[in-house]
Amino acid sequence: MPTYKLSYFDLRGRGELARLVFKAAQRDFEDDRVQREDWPTLKASTPFGQMPVLDVDGKKLAQSNTISRFLAREFNLAGKDSFEQAQCDQYLELVEDMFKEFAKAFFEKDEEKKKEINKNLSEVVFPKFLGLFEKALEANGGSFLVGNSLSLADLGVYNGFDTPLQQNPKMMDSYPKLKALRSRIEGMPTIGDYLKNRKVSDI
Amino acid sequence: MMPCYKFYYFDARGRGELCRYALHAKQRDFEDIRLGGDKWQNFKPSTPFGQMPVLDVDGKKLAQSGAIARYLARELDLAGKNCWEQAACDQYMELADDMFTELVKSFFEKDEAKKAEVMKNLNDVVLPKFLALFESSLNRNGGCYFVGDGLTIADLAVYSAFDTPLKRCPTLLDSFPKLKAQRAKIEGLPKLGEYIKNRKPTDI
């Protein structure tokens, strides 16, 4: 069995989805949380000067979604065939689209503009994506986004709503299937424990 | 029986061209359906998420350009020879997408003052950074391809990402010989080369 080491900052950000994949698959890995002051020295040894980086028996992989997809395939969390793998990818990209909107608000320095962006987020953007995901769950029988078991798609959507929910805990209240999926994931062995006990980070 | 592919997108390169490249590179038949205006509005409700591109595979629909491109890469043997190489391809697709996202920001910036600033950053910082990353990646892998020893979706993704920047600045790759050579190689492929030579120019 290969040895895995995931290097990222000590927060959720773009590293958490890969961590969730390991936990959902109940696979061991070194959860290498890099402190900000140590990052500059490490940077040169990464493929593209960024994290997360996955080290698999000495070979390195960069780019957060690449890492998550790779692990999902290795651990049978990427659907049962190529088409289901593509469906997982679809949802991952949809989450990415939502994340890009959300990031705009997070990084906006101008207070007036920030208020405008946040208003748009809560009135237009989040309802749009919540609606899309809820509908997708319904269309697939209600429990999972792809096929009939947990996949990277479900973990990606779970992870994508972590920070928005921290800011607005009621945001999923009118989306019962999404809300139930979250509870289902939180009740699974290993990943459930991890989610319950992980330290809170802003992002 | 080979599946029947229908590819729906606007009549532009944008987020659809990479999928078209993959299909042409492997000389695979497909319906290249270009929609706009009313035709697009009428089609919209039947798409998975109200967007294009959409790939219809024997009646089953897939959305999201990256998901479609990766699916086609696997089906058309453009995804490397094993799971690790598939991930290596993914890496370059994501890097190309990071660059594409920066380009989109500059293209859609309406404020004239901000646009000048964004363009300057693009030309002085962003493009040089990605050019260097891609060139050094090619060098590390023997010079011809990004992954393994044959054409993959990674090469096509990088090719596609530089389409619009090269229109604005045709000498952009002049100091990046491996990238430049790879473009020429891709343009020399049968069917794909023909497609690239004969397609009508679009801004994006």
Side-chain angles (χ1 to χ4, degrees), chain A residues 62-63 65-66 82 90 93-94, chain B residues 63-64 66-67 74 91 94-95:
Chain A
Q63 296 286 356
N65 286 327
T66 293
S82 185
Q90 250 186 178
E93 290 199 27
L94 213 56
Chain B
Q64 296 286 0
R74 286 193 297 277
Q91 253 186 169
E94 300 224 43
L95 213 57

Side-chain angles (χ1 to χ4, degrees), chain A residues 2-202:
Chain A
T3 308
Y4 299 107
K5 178 165 128 175
L6 180 77
S7 300
Y8 189 59
F9 298 107
D10 189 9
L11 38 86
R12 286 177 290 106
R14 287 201 167 280
E16 194 69 355
L17 181 54
R19 293 179 184 132
L20 294 184
V21 175
F22 278 116
K23 295 295 176 188
Q26 303 186 71
R27 292 291 288 258
D28 288 328
F29 73 109
E30 197 190 324
D31 190 356
D32 176 31
R33 298 185 180 235
V34 179
Q35 300 306 311
R36 294 229 168 249
E37 55 269 22
D38 298 326
W39 167 231
T41 353
L42 192 60
K43 194 169 174 165
S45 69
T46 63
F48 307 129
Q50 292 173 316
M51 290 198 291
V53 170
L54 179 73
D55 182 310
V56 186
D57 289 337
K59 291 195 298 184
K60 290 185 166 69
L61 213 51
Q63 296 286 356
S64 57
N65 286 327
T66 293
I67 293 169
S68 300
R69 284 185 182 97
F70 171 75
L71 292 171
R73 285 194 301 275
E74 293 291 284
F75 304 151
N76 276 324
L77 285 167
K80 67 180 190 295
D81 56 31
S82 185
F83 196 83
E84 283 197 356
Q85 199 184 137
Q87 288 178 309
C88 287
D89 276 353
Q90 250 186 178
Y91 293 114
L92 220 59
E93 290 199 27
L94 213 56
V95 171
E96 194 64 34
D97 284 352
M98 186 180 86
F99 178 82
K100 282 191 177 121
E101 296 294 322
F102 183 70
K104 275 186 209 166
F106 191 85
F107 289 107
E108 180 58 60
K109 306 257 182 296
D110 180 310
E111 279 310 317
E112 272 311 306
K113 260 203 154 160
K114 192 163 181 138
K115 247 184 3 199
E116 205 181 299
I117 297 177
N118 274 319
K119 186 174 192 291
N120 186 54
L121 267 176
S122 55
E123 290 176 10
V124 179
V125 176
F126 284 135
K128 168 182 137 175
F129 284 100
L130 284 162
L132 282 173
F133 291 124
E134 182 80 2
K135 202 169 120 200
L137 274 170
E138 277 164 9
N140 194 48
S143 299
F144 301 103
L145 281 163
V146 178
N148 47 25
S149 58
L150 187 80
S151 74
L152 181 65
D154 307 301
L155 295 173
V157 173
Y158 183 98
N159 186 60
F161 280 102
D162 265 342
T163 301
L165 274 164
Q166 256 183 197
Q167 296 184 356
N168 176 12
K170 291 184 186 305
M171 79 181 305
M172 251 181 212
D173 285 3
S174 319
Y175 302 89
K177 299 271 186 301
L178 268 173
K179 215 173 165 181
L181 177 61
R182 275 191 91 76
S183 306
R184 194 171 303 115
I185 290 171
E186 285 158 4
M188 289 178 180
T190 306
I191 188 172
D193 280 333
Y194 171 75
L195 290 169
K196 203 159 59 161
N197 297 315
R198 72 180 167 180
K199 86 167 191 227
V200 177
S201 64
D202 282 345

